[in-house]
PDB file of all heavy atoms in Angstrom:
ATOM      1  N   ASN A   1      30.290 211.392  48.085  1.00 86.00           N
ATOM      2  CA  ASN A   1      30.304 209.963  47.801  1.00 86.00           C
ATOM      3  C   ASN A   1      28.906 209.499  47.399  1.00 86.00           C
ATOM      4  O   ASN A   1      27.926 210.237  47.512  1.00 86.00           O
ATOM      5  CB  ASN A   1      30.879 209.163  48.973  1.00 86.00           C
ATOM      6  CG  ASN A   1      29.970 209.192  50.207  1.00 86.00           C
ATOM      7  OD1 ASN A   1      28.754 209.244  50.100  1.00 86.00           O
ATOM      8  ND2 ASN A   1      30.596 209.129  51.378  1.00 86.00           N
ATOM      9  N   GLN A   2      28.809 208.264  46.964  1.00 88.00           N
ATOM     10  CA  GLN A   2      27.538 207.746  46.466  1.00 88.00           C
ATOM     11  C   GLN A   2      26.447 207.748  47.530  1.00 88.00           C
ATOM     12  O   GLN A   2      25.292 208.061  47.235  1.00 88.00           O
ATOM     13  CB  GLN A   2      27.722 206.317  45.934  1.00 88.00           C
ATOM     14  CG  GLN A   2      28.261 206.294  44.531  1.00 88.00           C
ATOM     15  CD  GLN A   2      28.298 204.889  43.988  1.00 88.00           C
ATOM     16  OE1 GLN A   2      28.588 203.932  44.721  1.00 88.00           O
ATOM     17  NE2 GLN A   2      27.996 204.753  42.724  1.00 88.00           N
ATOM     18  N   ALA A   3      26.779 207.409  48.759  1.00 87.00           N
ATOM     19  CA  ALA A   3      25.776 207.367  49.821  1.00 87.00           C
ATOM     20  C   ALA A   3      25.180 208.761  50.057  1.00 87.00           C
ATOM     21  O   ALA A   3      23.978 208.912  50.230  1.00 87.00           O
ATOM     22  CB  ALA A   3      26.381 206.831  51.106  1.00 87.00           C
ATOM     23  N   GLN A   4      26.039 209.776  50.013  1.00 89.00           N
ATOM     24  CA  GLN A   4      25.551 211.144  50.175  1.00 89.00           C
ATOM     25  C   GLN A   4      24.648 211.544  49.012  1.00 89.00           C
ATOM     26  O   GLN A   4      23.631 212.204  49.199  1.00 89.00           O
ATOM     27  CB  GLN A   4      26.720 212.124  50.276  1.00 89.00           C
ATOM     28  CG  GLN A   4      27.483 212.041  51.581  1.00 89.00           C
ATOM     29  CD  GLN A   4      28.728 212.909  51.546  1.00 89.00           C
ATOM     30  OE1 GLN A   4      29.457 212.950  50.549  1.00 89.00           O
ATOM     31  NE2 GLN A   4      28.983 213.608  52.654  1.00 89.00           N
ATOM     32  N   MET A   5      25.050 211.143  47.806  1.00 86.00           N
ATOM     33  CA  MET A   5      24.252 211.474  46.621  1.00 86.00           C
ATOM     34  C   MET A   5      22.881 210.810  46.693  1.00 86.00           C
ATOM     35  O   MET A   5      21.860 211.437  46.386  1.00 86.00           O
ATOM     36  CB  MET A   5      24.987 211.047  45.341  1.00 86.00           C
ATOM     37  CG  MET A   5      26.130 211.958  44.986  1.00 86.00           C
ATOM     38  SD  MET A   5      27.082 211.405  43.548  1.00 86.00           S
ATOM     39  CE  MET A   5      25.815 211.263  42.309  1.00 86.00           C
ATOM     40  N   ILE A   6      22.842 209.562  47.099  1.00 89.00           N
ATOM     41  CA  ILE A   6      21.573 208.836  47.205  1.00 89.00           C
ATOM     42  C   ILE A   6      20.684 209.473  48.259  1.00 89.00           C
ATOM     43  O   ILE A   6      19.489 209.690  48.051  1.00 89.00           O
ATOM     44  CB  ILE A   6      21.818 207.339  47.490  1.00 89.00           C
ATOM     45  CG1 ILE A   6      22.436 206.667  46.261  1.00 89.00           C
ATOM     46  CG2 ILE A   6      20.535 206.641  47.911  1.00 89.00           C
ATOM     47  CD1 ILE A   6      22.939 205.268  46.493  1.00 89.00           C
ATOM     48  N   LYS A   7      21.289 209.821  49.403  1.00 88.00           N
ATOM     49  CA  LYS A   7      20.530 210.457  50.478  1.00 88.00           C
ATOM     50  C   LYS A   7      19.962 211.797  50.013  1.00 88.00           C
ATOM     51  O   LYS A   7      18.800 212.124  50.261  1.00 88.00           O
ATOM     52  CB  LYS A   7      21.436 210.643  51.701  1.00 88.00           C
ATOM     53  CG  LYS A   7      20.712 211.097  52.946  1.00 88.00           C
ATOM     54  CD  LYS A   7      21.659 211.093  54.137  1.00 88.00           C
ATOM     55  CE  LYS A   7      20.908 211.460  55.396  1.00 88.00           C
ATOM     56  NZ  LYS A   7      21.757 211.410  56.578  1.00 88.00           N
ATOM     57  N   GLN A   8      20.758 212.571  49.298  1.00 85.00           N
ATOM     58  CA  GLN A   8      20.316 213.869  48.799  1.00 85.00           C
ATOM     59  C   GLN A   8      19.194 213.681  47.759  1.00 85.00           C
ATOM     60  O   GLN A   8      18.207 214.422  47.773  1.00 85.00           O
ATOM     61  CB  GLN A   8      21.482 214.633  48.178  1.00 85.00           C
ATOM     62  CG  GLN A   8      21.121 216.042  47.773  1.00 85.00           C
ATOM     63  CD  GLN A   8      22.324 216.807  47.260  1.00 85.00           C
ATOM     64  OE1 GLN A   8      23.331 216.221  46.862  1.00 85.00           O
ATOM     65  NE2 GLN A   8      22.214 218.123  47.239  1.00 85.00           N
ATOM     66  N   ALA A   9      19.317 212.695  46.890  1.00 83.00           N
ATOM     67  CA  ALA A   9      18.286 212.424  45.879  1.00 83.00           C
ATOM     68  C   ALA A   9      16.981 211.990  46.539  1.00 83.00           C
ATOM     69  O   ALA A   9      15.900 212.387  46.115  1.00 83.00           O
ATOM     70  CB  ALA A   9      18.772 211.362  44.903  1.00 83.00           C
ATOM     71  N   GLN A  10      17.079 211.173  47.590  1.00 88.00           N
ATOM     72  CA  GLN A  10      15.870 210.727  48.300  1.00 88.00           C
ATOM     73  C   GLN A  10      15.182 211.903  48.982  1.00 88.00           C
ATOM     74  O   GLN A  10      13.959 212.014  48.950  1.00 88.00           O
ATOM     75  CB  GLN A  10      16.226 209.642  49.326  1.00 88.00           C
ATOM     76  CG  GLN A  10      16.577 208.316  48.696  1.00 88.00           C
ATOM     77  CD  GLN A  10      17.115 207.310  49.693  1.00 88.00           C
ATOM     78  OE1 GLN A  10      17.631 207.666  50.751  1.00 88.00           O
ATOM     79  NE2 GLN A  10      17.014 206.032  49.342  1.00 88.00           N
ATOM     80  N   LYS A  11      15.955 212.795  49.569  1.00 86.00           N
ATOM     81  CA  LYS A  11      15.373 213.976  50.210  1.00 86.00           C
ATOM     82  C   LYS A  11      14.693 214.851  49.168  1.00 86.00           C
ATOM     83  O   LYS A  11      13.581 215.347  49.391  1.00 86.00           O
ATOM     84  CB  LYS A  11      16.425 214.785  50.958  1.00 86.00           C
ATOM     85  CG  LYS A  11      15.876 216.120  51.454  1.00 86.00           C
ATOM     86  CD  LYS A  11      16.432 216.536  52.762  1.00 86.00           C
ATOM     87  CE  LYS A  11      15.974 217.865  53.277  1.00 86.00           C
ATOM     88  NZ  LYS A  11      14.673 218.345  52.986  1.00 86.00           N
ATOM     89  N   MET A  12      15.338 215.041  48.025  1.00 84.00           N
ATOM     90  CA  MET A  12      14.750 215.843  46.956  1.00 84.00           C
ATOM     91  C   MET A  12      13.438 215.215  46.486  1.00 84.00           C
ATOM     92  O   MET A  12      12.453 215.920  46.272  1.00 84.00           O
ATOM     93  CB  MET A  12      15.714 215.980  45.772  1.00 84.00           C
ATOM     94  CG  MET A  12      15.185 216.916  44.681  1.00 84.00           C
ATOM     95  SD  MET A  12      16.234 217.015  43.225  1.00 84.00           S
ATOM     96  CE  MET A  12      17.740 217.670  43.900  1.00 84.00           C
ATOM     97  N   GLN A  13      13.413 213.902  46.370  1.00 86.00           N
ATOM     98  CA  GLN A  13      12.200 213.203  45.939  1.00 86.00           C
ATOM     99  C   GLN A  13      11.071 213.405  46.971  1.00 86.00           C
ATOM    100  O   GLN A  13       9.933 213.681  46.598  1.00 86.00           O
ATOM    101  CB  GLN A  13      12.469 211.719  45.744  1.00 86.00           C
ATOM    102  CG  GLN A  13      11.272 210.955  45.234  1.00 86.00           C
ATOM    103  CD  GLN A  13      11.567 209.484  45.029  1.00 86.00           C
ATOM    104  OE1 GLN A  13      12.505 208.928  45.599  1.00 86.00           O
ATOM    105  NE2 GLN A  13      10.767 208.827  44.207  1.00 86.00           N
ATOM    106  N   GLN A  14      11.398 213.310  48.248  1.00 88.00           N
ATOM    107  CA  GLN A  14      10.395 213.525  49.303  1.00 88.00           C
ATOM    108  C   GLN A  14       9.881 214.955  49.267  1.00 88.00           C
ATOM    109  O   GLN A  14       8.675 215.202  49.370  1.00 88.00           O
ATOM    110  CB  GLN A  14      10.985 213.208  50.681  1.00 88.00           C
ATOM    111  CG  GLN A  14      11.234 211.750  50.923  1.00 88.00           C
ATOM    112  CD  GLN A  14      12.022 211.506  52.213  1.00 88.00           C
ATOM    113  OE1 GLN A  14      12.569 212.432  52.802  1.00 88.00           O
ATOM    114  NE2 GLN A  14      12.072 210.247  52.636  1.00 88.00           N
ATOM    115  N   ASP A  15      10.788 215.911  49.100  1.00 84.00           N
ATOM    116  CA  ASP A  15      10.404 217.317  49.032  1.00 84.00           C
ATOM    117  C   ASP A  15       9.513 217.575  47.813  1.00 84.00           C
ATOM    118  O   ASP A  15       8.536 218.321  47.900  1.00 84.00           O
ATOM    119  CB  ASP A  15      11.639 218.227  48.970  1.00 84.00           C
ATOM    120  CG  ASP A  15      12.421 218.267  50.271  1.00 84.00           C
ATOM    121  OD1 ASP A  15      11.889 217.791  51.313  1.00 84.00           O
ATOM    122  OD2 ASP A  15      13.564 218.749  50.256  1.00 84.00           O
ATOM    123  N   MET A  16       9.840 216.953  46.696  1.00 84.00           N
ATOM    124  CA  MET A  16       9.040 217.121  45.481  1.00 84.00           C
ATOM    125  C   MET A  16       7.636 216.552  45.663  1.00 84.00           C
ATOM    126  O   MET A  16       6.656 217.159  45.242  1.00 84.00           O
ATOM    127  CB  MET A  16       9.748 216.464  44.286  1.00 84.00           C
ATOM    128  CG  MET A  16      10.930 217.247  43.789  1.00 84.00           C
ATOM    129  SD  MET A  16      11.914 216.426  42.507  1.00 84.00           S
ATOM    130  CE  MET A  16      10.681 215.966  41.320  1.00 84.00           C
ATOM    131  N   MET A  17       7.528 215.395  46.297  1.00 87.00           N
ATOM    132  CA  MET A  17       6.223 214.785  46.512  1.00 87.00           C
ATOM    133  C   MET A  17       5.372 215.654  47.439  1.00 87.00           C
ATOM    134  O   MET A  17       4.183 215.852  47.190  1.00 87.00           O
ATOM    135  CB  MET A  17       6.388 213.369  47.064  1.00 87.00           C
ATOM    136  CG  MET A  17       6.927 212.383  46.039  1.00 87.00           C
ATOM    137  SD  MET A  17       7.329 210.749  46.695  1.00 87.00           S
ATOM    138  CE  MET A  17       5.772 210.224  47.356  1.00 87.00           C
ATOM    139  N   LYS A  18       5.987 216.195  48.479  1.00 87.00           N
ATOM    140  CA  LYS A  18       5.268 217.060  49.411  1.00 87.00           C
ATOM    141  C   LYS A  18       4.809 218.329  48.705  1.00 87.00           C
ATOM    142  O   LYS A  18       3.661 218.746  48.841  1.00 87.00           O
ATOM    143  CB  LYS A  18       6.170 217.410  50.603  1.00 87.00           C
ATOM    144  CG  LYS A  18       5.485 218.277  51.634  1.00 87.00           C
ATOM    145  CD  LYS A  18       6.410 218.593  52.784  1.00 87.00           C
ATOM    146  CE  LYS A  18       5.725 219.535  53.767  1.00 87.00           C
ATOM    147  NZ  LYS A  18       6.653 220.060  54.749  1.00 87.00           N
ATOM    148  N   MET A  19       5.696 218.939  47.925  1.00 84.00           N
ATOM    149  CA  MET A  19       5.361 220.161  47.199  1.00 84.00           C
ATOM    150  C   MET A  19       4.239 219.891  46.192  1.00 84.00           C
ATOM    151  O   MET A  19       3.299 220.676  46.078  1.00 84.00           O
ATOM    152  CB  MET A  19       6.588 220.710  46.465  1.00 84.00           C
ATOM    153  CG  MET A  19       6.301 221.889  45.562  1.00 84.00           C
ATOM    154  SD  MET A  19       5.906 223.411  46.416  1.00 84.00           S
ATOM    155  CE  MET A  19       7.516 223.871  46.990  1.00 84.00           C
ATOM    156  N   GLN A  20       4.307 218.773  45.494  1.00 83.00           N
ATOM    157  CA  GLN A  20       3.283 218.435  44.514  1.00 83.00           C
ATOM    158  C   GLN A  20       1.918 218.279  45.188  1.00 83.00           C
ATOM    159  O   GLN A  20       0.914 218.769  44.689  1.00 83.00           O
ATOM    160  CB  GLN A  20       3.649 217.160  43.764  1.00 83.00           C
ATOM    161  CG  GLN A  20       2.673 216.833  42.648  1.00 83.00           C
ATOM    162  CD  GLN A  20       3.141 215.671  41.800  1.00 83.00           C
ATOM    163  OE1 GLN A  20       4.165 215.056  42.055  1.00 83.00           O
ATOM    164  NE2 GLN A  20       2.376 215.367  40.781  1.00 83.00           N
ATOM    165  N   GLU A  21       1.903 217.624  46.327  1.00 86.00           N
ATOM    166  CA  GLU A  21       0.645 217.443  47.062  1.00 86.00           C
ATOM    167  C   GLU A  21       0.079 218.794  47.494  1.00 86.00           C
ATOM    168  O   GLU A  21      -1.126 219.048  47.352  1.00 86.00           O
ATOM    169  CB  GLU A  21       0.867 216.549  48.282  1.00 86.00           C
ATOM    170  CG  GLU A  21      -0.405 216.237  49.036  1.00 86.00           C
ATOM    171  CD  GLU A  21      -0.158 215.321  50.224  1.00 86.00           C
ATOM    172  OE1 GLU A  21       0.756 214.483  50.166  1.00 86.00           O
ATOM    173  OE2 GLU A  21      -0.882 215.472  51.224  1.00 86.00           O
ATOM    174  N   GLU A  22       0.944 219.666  48.004  1.00 84.00           N
ATOM    175  CA  GLU A  22       0.487 220.999  48.424  1.00 84.00           C
ATOM    176  C   GLU A  22      -0.073 221.772  47.237  1.00 84.00           C
ATOM    177  O   GLU A  22      -1.117 222.424  47.342  1.00 84.00           O
ATOM    178  CB  GLU A  22       1.638 221.776  49.063  1.00 84.00           C
ATOM    179  CG  GLU A  22       2.040 221.259  50.417  1.00 84.00           C
ATOM    180  CD  GLU A  22       3.292 221.940  50.965  1.00 84.00           C
ATOM    181  OE1 GLU A  22       3.823 222.887  50.325  1.00 84.00           O
ATOM    182  OE2 GLU A  22       3.769 221.514  52.026  1.00 84.00           O
ATOM    183  N   LEU A  23       0.627 221.730  46.105  1.00 82.00           N
ATOM    184  CA  LEU A  23       0.180 222.472  44.927  1.00 82.00           C
ATOM    185  C   LEU A  23      -1.114 221.903  44.356  1.00 82.00           C
ATOM    186  O   LEU A  23      -1.952 222.646  43.849  1.00 82.00           O
ATOM    187  CB  LEU A  23       1.280 222.484  43.870  1.00 82.00           C
ATOM    188  CG  LEU A  23       2.512 223.301  44.229  1.00 82.00           C
ATOM    189  CD1 LEU A  23       3.633 223.046  43.232  1.00 82.00           C
ATOM    190  CD2 LEU A  23       2.189 224.782  44.314  1.00 82.00           C
ATOM    191  N   GLU A  24      -1.289 220.592  44.432  1.00 84.00           N
ATOM    192  CA  GLU A  24      -2.519 219.973  43.926  1.00 84.00           C
ATOM    193  C   GLU A  24      -3.724 220.364  44.769  1.00 84.00           C
ATOM    194  O   GLU A  24      -4.848 220.371  44.283  1.00 84.00           O
ATOM    195  CB  GLU A  24      -2.381 218.453  43.878  1.00 84.00           C
ATOM    196  CG  GLU A  24      -1.519 217.965  42.728  1.00 84.00           C
ATOM    197  CD  GLU A  24      -1.358 216.453  42.700  1.00 84.00           C
ATOM    198  OE1 GLU A  24      -1.778 215.768  43.664  1.00 84.00           O
ATOM    199  OE2 GLU A  24      -0.785 215.959  41.710  1.00 84.00           O
ATOM    200  N   ASN A  25      -3.512 220.685  46.033  1.00 87.00           N
ATOM    201  CA  ASN A  25      -4.610 221.065  46.914  1.00 87.00           C
ATOM    202  C   ASN A  25      -4.959 222.549  46.830  1.00 87.00           C
ATOM    203  O   ASN A  25      -5.957 222.973  47.403  1.00 87.00           O
ATOM    204  CB  ASN A  25      -4.292 220.671  48.359  1.00 87.00           C
ATOM    205  CG  ASN A  25      -4.321 219.172  48.546  1.00 87.00           C
ATOM    206  OD1 ASN A  25      -5.122 218.472  47.935  1.00 87.00           O
ATOM    207  ND2 ASN A  25      -3.421 218.668  49.366  1.00 87.00           N
ATOM    208  N   LYS A  26      -4.154 223.327  46.145  1.00 91.00           N
ATOM    209  CA  LYS A  26      -4.434 224.751  45.992  1.00 91.00           C
ATOM    210  C   LYS A  26      -5.439 224.971  44.875  1.00 91.00           C
ATOM    211  O   LYS A  26      -5.641 224.122  44.009  1.00 91.00           O
ATOM    212  CB  LYS A  26      -3.146 225.517  45.638  1.00 91.00           C
ATOM    213  CG  LYS A  26      -2.211 225.709  46.815  1.00 91.00           C
ATOM    214  CD  LYS A  26      -0.970 226.456  46.416  1.00 91.00           C
ATOM    215  CE  LYS A  26      -1.274 227.918  46.134  1.00 91.00           C
ATOM    216  NZ  LYS A  26      -0.067 228.705  45.850  1.00 91.00           N
ATOM    217  N   GLU A  27      -6.083 226.143  44.902  1.00 93.00           N
ATOM    218  CA  GLU A  27      -6.984 226.538  43.818  1.00 93.00           C
ATOM    219  C   GLU A  27      -6.459 227.820  43.191  1.00 93.00           C
ATOM    220  O   GLU A  27      -5.859 228.654  43.870  1.00 93.00           O
ATOM    221  CB  GLU A  27      -8.413 226.745  44.340  1.00 93.00           C
ATOM    222  CG  GLU A  27      -9.080 225.454  44.713  1.00 93.00           C
ATOM    223  CD  GLU A  27     -10.556 225.620  45.066  1.00 93.00           C
ATOM    224  OE1 GLU A  27     -11.082 226.754  45.006  1.00 93.00           O
ATOM    225  OE2 GLU A  27     -11.181 224.605  45.411  1.00 93.00           O
ATOM    226  N   TYR A  28      -6.704 227.954  41.906  1.00 95.00           N
ATOM    227  CA  TYR A  28      -6.239 229.103  41.132  1.00 95.00           C
ATOM    228  C   TYR A  28      -7.441 229.700  40.425  1.00 95.00           C
ATOM    229  O   TYR A  28      -8.268 228.983  39.872  1.00 95.00           O
ATOM    230  CB  TYR A  28      -5.176 228.650  40.117  1.00 95.00           C
ATOM    231  CG  TYR A  28      -4.039 227.908  40.785  1.00 95.00           C
ATOM    232  CD1 TYR A  28      -4.120 226.532  41.000  1.00 95.00           C
ATOM    233  CD2 TYR A  28      -2.927 228.580  41.248  1.00 95.00           C
ATOM    234  CE1 TYR A  28      -3.102 225.854  41.659  1.00 95.00           C
ATOM    235  CE2 TYR A  28      -1.905 227.908  41.898  1.00 95.00           C
ATOM    236  CZ  TYR A  28      -1.993 226.534  42.095  1.00 95.00           C
ATOM    237  OH  TYR A  28      -0.995 225.879  42.745  1.00 95.00           O
ATOM    238  N   GLU A  29      -7.542 231.031  40.455  1.00 96.00           N
ATOM    239  CA  GLU A  29      -8.706 231.703  39.878  1.00 96.00           C
ATOM    240  C   GLU A  29      -8.275 232.701  38.816  1.00 96.00           C
ATOM    241  O   GLU A  29      -7.224 233.332  38.927  1.00 96.00           O
ATOM    242  CB  GLU A  29      -9.484 232.421  40.975  1.00 96.00           C
ATOM    243  CG  GLU A  29     -10.761 233.083  40.471  1.00 96.00           C
ATOM    244  CD  GLU A  29     -11.578 233.706  41.584  1.00 96.00           C
ATOM    245  OE1 GLU A  29     -12.082 232.951  42.427  1.00 96.00           O
ATOM    246  OE2 GLU A  29     -11.692 234.940  41.587  1.00 96.00           O
ATOM    247  N   ALA A  30      -9.111 232.832  37.805  1.00 97.00           N
ATOM    248  CA  ALA A  30      -8.899 233.833  36.776  1.00 97.00           C
ATOM    249  C   ALA A  30     -10.258 234.296  36.294  1.00 97.00           C
ATOM    250  O   ALA A  30     -11.262 233.597  36.467  1.00 97.00           O
ATOM    251  CB  ALA A  30      -8.091 233.255  35.620  1.00 97.00           C
ATOM    252  N   SER A  31     -10.275 235.494  35.712  1.00 97.00           N
ATOM    253  CA  SER A  31     -11.535 236.019  35.198  1.00 97.00           C
ATOM    254  C   SER A  31     -11.349 236.529  33.777  1.00 97.00           C
ATOM    255  O   SER A  31     -10.220 236.743  33.324  1.00 97.00           O
ATOM    256  CB  SER A  31     -12.062 237.131  36.092  1.00 97.00           C
ATOM    257  OG  SER A  31     -11.170 238.225  36.092  1.00 97.00           O
ATOM    258  N   ALA A  32     -12.459 236.719  33.096  1.00 97.00           N
ATOM    259  CA  ALA A  32     -12.466 237.247  31.739  1.00 97.00           C
ATOM    260  C   ALA A  32     -13.670 238.165  31.601  1.00 97.00           C
ATOM    261  O   ALA A  32     -14.610 238.095  32.391  1.00 97.00           O
ATOM    262  CB  ALA A  32     -12.520 236.113  30.724  1.00 97.00           C
ATOM    263  N   GLY A  33     -13.620 239.016  30.584  1.00 95.00           N
ATOM    264  CA  GLY A  33     -14.740 239.911  30.342  1.00 95.00           C
ATOM    265  C   GLY A  33     -14.922 240.916  31.451  1.00 95.00           C
ATOM    266  O   GLY A  33     -16.054 241.212  31.830  1.00 95.00           O
TER     267      GLY A  33
END
């Protein structure tokens, strides 16, 4: 039903925001030569 869909979408949005914050705080390294 719509209430379940909205609840699921809100959870997905919260999970995405948390994941984005975690990924933004990570560092990535590469080398050349």
Side-chain angles (χ1 to χ4, degrees):
N1 68 33
Q2 278 186 322
Q4 288 173 317
M5 285 176 55
I6 291 170
K7 189 174 184 177
Q8 186 176 20
Q10 288 172 337
K11 172 144 178 32
M12 185 184 298
Q13 183 179 21
Q14 289 171 348
D15 290 347
M16 286 173 51
M17 289 173 59
K18 181 180 177 190
M19 173 71 74
Q20 185 173 3
E21 184 179 328
E22 289 173 4
L23 292 170
E24 285 179 351
N25 290 324
K26 285 180 71 175
E27 289 187 1
Y28 306 87
E29 183 176 294
S31 64

